[in-house]
Amino acid sequence: MKQGYMIYTEAEGKKNQAFIEMFQRAGEVHDLLFSFVSIEEYPTKPLPDLVLNRTRDPRVSWWYESHRIPVYHDSDITTVGNDKYQTLQVLQRRLPDAIRETPWCPASFLITQKQKTYLPLLREQIRESLGDVDTVVLKTVDGHGGSEVFRLPADPVGEETIWKQTLAELSGRKLLCQAWIDSGGQDLRVYILWGEIYAAVLRQGGADFRSNYSLGGQVQPYLLSGREKSYISQFVQALGGRRLAMAGVDFLLSGDGALVFNELEEMAGSRMLYQCTSFDIVRDFVSILKKRM
């Protein structure tokens, strides 16, 4: 029987115990034994046949890669998928010209330390990079689940108090500033399995502008059109293609119905997929994994 490690932090491993057990049940069918291993102890464990890195830490992937153990996701995907600014840079380089020449993502820039401390400079950068906007989104590049995303007035000088409070709360963090896209509180999570579009779920936020399921957003299945699939597939290929073993690609829905790229969720959760569809992404992931071994 092949041995697979699912590596989490200790806290995340306890939180995701049910998810781990789903892998264990699916693995039994294919003679794969999945075991939880904490990030604190993985270097002390015997080398397995494969690893699922669920830590968001590329150093875990690097370590197993150095020992020639297949790891999902690899260190490149884990690095890019957990830095929203790097994700945008990769897409800017790799997407076809026909997409890059359209408003495929919100106008964005990385906030410098000087701009954090001198708000007139930050206001100037917002105007230069984002244009004449009333509202911006401020987010940490490595946040997930919507917990570090803030909607703010576009004038840091005129709205100094709220800006200083937010920047103080995010002190020491790498921050991305983006133009606000009015999506009506909706976004689209597209699940990717081994480089292929697997399923899509439409998320609708409540009073909160963020639509994340973990923050109380509502979810429903979404049937992608052929045109949407073709468009989304360009992003999947640019982000790694088949190296995206199990991931989520999130899009905002603009007022005219266009898809606007939001972020890559490298360690995508699947609760909402099981909540509103009959898809069994764990079963299908393990089945394909066995064939690839």
Side-chain angles (χ1 to χ4, degrees):
M1 179 173 285
K2 299 290 187 180
Q3 173 73 62
Y5 288 168
M6 297 185 68
I7 303 183
Y8 288 91
T9 64
E10 193 69 43
E12 285 293 312
K14 293 177 180 178
K15 179 181 175 182
N16 289 279
Q17 182 61 39
F19 190 61
I20 295 169
E21 291 174 357
M22 290 170 64
F23 271 88
Q24 291 171 336
R25 289 193 295 270
E28 289 175 358
V29 178
H30 299 284
D31 292 323
L32 294 173
L33 176 62
F34 287 99
S35 302
F36 162 66
V37 173
S38 74
I39 192 173
E40 293 80 7
E41 64 178 347
Y42 76 88
T44 68
K45 293 287 188 179
L47 291 175
D49 297 292
L50 62 100
V51 169
L52 307 184
N53 179 10
R54 304 288 294 178
T55 67
R56 300 187 175 91
D57 188 341
R59 292 172 297 183
V60 175
S61 296
W62 291 333
W63 193 85
Y64 282 107
E65 287 167 356
S66 72
H67 290 82
R68 301 184 181 278
I69 302 298
V71 55
Y72 311 100
H73 292 112
D74 63 45
S75 56
D76 287 341
I77 297 291
T78 306
T79 298
V80 171
N82 291 287
D83 186 318
K84 296 177 177 62
Y85 185 64
Q86 283 198 51
T87 302
L88 295 178
Q89 290 180 308
V90 166
L91 289 172
Q92 182 63 35
R93 293 196 304 268
R94 297 180 182 172
L95 282 172
D97 292 344
I99 292 180
R100 289 190 294 104
E101 292 167 0
T102 69
W104 60 271
C105 73
S108 310
F109 70 92
L110 201 62
I111 296 179
T112 66
Q113 184 59 38
K114 189 173 183 180
Q115 289 165 349
K116 290 180 183 179
T117 56
Y118 186 55
L119 295 185
L121 185 62
L122 179 56
R123 176 171 65 179
E124 181 181 334
Q125 187 64 54
I126 289 174
R127 290 173 174 172
E128 179 180 335
S129 299
L130 309 187
D132 185 19
V133 297
D134 296 323
T135 307
V136 299
V137 173
L138 188 66
K139 59 178 69 172
T140 57
V141 299
D142 58 348
H144 55 90
S147 60
E148 296 174 343
V149 180
F150 299 85
R151 179 181 175 185
L152 296 171
D155 183 1
V157 176
E159 300 289 346
E160 180 178 344
T161 300
I162 184 62
W163 269 93
K164 283 189 172 181
Q165 288 176 347
T166 305
L167 290 171
E169 183 175 343
L170 300 175
S171 177
R173 306 296 296 279
K174 188 177 174 184
L175 302 178
L176 187 66
C177 187
Q178 297 183 307
W180 164 255
I181 302 292
D182 187 1
S183 62
Q186 289 185 328
D187 82 342
L188 189 66
R189 159 64 58 82
V190 182
Y191 285 91
I192 308 302
L193 200 61
W194 300 108
E196 301 290 340
I197 294 172
Y198 179 75
V201 170
L202 183 68
R203 302 186 289 193
Q204 174 68 60
D208 195 314
F209 74 93
R210 297 165 295 183
S211 58
N212 303 75
Y213 187 55
S214 59
L215 298 177
Q218 301 300 309
V219 297
Q220 65 184 64
Y222 185 92
L223 184 62
L224 294 167
S225 69
R227 184 175 182 179
E228 287 171 330
K229 287 181 180 179
S230 178
Y231 182 74
I232 293 167
S233 292
Q234 300 297 317
F235 288 83
V236 174
Q237 292 306 308
L239 290 168
R242 294 183 65 187
R243 292 161 59 212
L244 292 176
M246 182 191 292
V249 183
D250 295 345
F251 292 86
L252 302 171
L253 279 72
S254 67
D256 59 2
L259 297 180
V260 180
F261 177 82
N262 188 25
E263 62 187 48
L264 168 65
E265 188 65 51
E266 179 266 331
M267 199 184 81
S270 56
R271 282 187 291 271
M272 60 185 176
L273 186 62
Y274 284 99
Q275 172 74 21
C276 71
T277 77
S278 60
F279 288 104
D280 190 340
I281 193 169
V282 170
R283 178 198 64 198
D284 295 336
F285 173 91
V286 174
S287 177
I288 297 172
L289 173 63
K290 179 64 176 181
K291 295 175 183 177
R292 289 169 59 100
M293 293 180 65

